[in-house]
């Protein structure tokens, strides 16, 4: 996404001045979905660390046992003396040390997510800087070649004038024209 965004910048260059390296990095970090995702994971892990140290929720238990499936009393709960209804509440009480260790693990998970977010931010900064420098290099190369093409065209005009005045051989004119064509090809490649 960073490279795609920076690739669009040359098209916008006419509308606004090019971004500096610091501005490009700042925008890329602010708009990176990878960094936002890692930060959200870290926030979730921090919130889970609070719940990890608490007692688990109580459980409500209910059910029927020995319900007849055949005969005149099939599926009736009030006719058979062996049918039992069970309703209860159950609570687990894990040891304090186990709850403390769960909390520590959740805190370390949050720290790991924070480190992953920092790593993602560093990657975005690095990729943005590389793309910015590649774009800058391409612009400078294009400008340098454009200046060379302008000079080569002047050399063609001068060689043509010298050839017409009989002061230079035709080979110099062809050499100047060839250099101009080669520079135009390089400009197209750039």
């Amino acid at each position: 996404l960073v490279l795609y965004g920076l690739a669009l910048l040359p098209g916008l260059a006419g509308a606004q001045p090019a971004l500096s390296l610091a501005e490009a990095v700042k925008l890329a970090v602010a708009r990176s979905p990878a960094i936002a995702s890692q930060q959200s994971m870290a926030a979730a892990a921090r919130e889970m660390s609070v719940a990890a140290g608490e007692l688990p929720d109580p459980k409500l238990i209910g059910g029927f046992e020995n319900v007849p499936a055949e005969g005149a009393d099939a599926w009736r709960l009030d006719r058979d003396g062996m049918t039992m209804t069970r309703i209860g509440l159950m609570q687990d009480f894990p040891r304090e040390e186990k709850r403390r260790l769960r909390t520590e693990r959740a805190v370390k998970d949050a720290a790991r997510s924070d480190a992953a977010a920092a790593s993602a931010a560093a990657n975005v900064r690095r990729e943005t800087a590389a793309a910015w420098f590649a774009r800058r290099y391409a612009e400078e190369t294009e400008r340098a070649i454009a200046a060379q093409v302008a000079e080569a065209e002047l050399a063609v005009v001068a060689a043509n004038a010298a050839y017409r005045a009989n002061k230079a051989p035709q080979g110099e004119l062809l050499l100047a024209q060839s250099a101009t064509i080669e520079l135009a090809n390089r400009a197209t490649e750039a």
Side-chain angles (χ1 to χ4, degrees), residues 38 42 46 108-122:
Q38 290 295 333
R46 276 190 291 280
K108 288 181 182 182
D109 284 346
R112 184 175 57 235
S113 294
D114 284 334
S119 174

Side-chain angles (χ1 to χ4, degrees), residues 115-137:
S119 174
N123 286 339
V124 167
R125 282 189 206 90
R126 179 179 42 83
E127 290 173 8
T128 302
W132 188 89
F133 281 115
R135 178 177 173 252
R136 179 71 183 255
Y137 175 77

Side-chain angles (χ1 to χ4, degrees), residues 58-63 85-91:
K59 299 173 189 169
L60 180 63
I61 300 171
T85 305
R86 192 169 36 126
I87 297 176
L89 190 63
M90 187 168 82
Q91 172 73 52

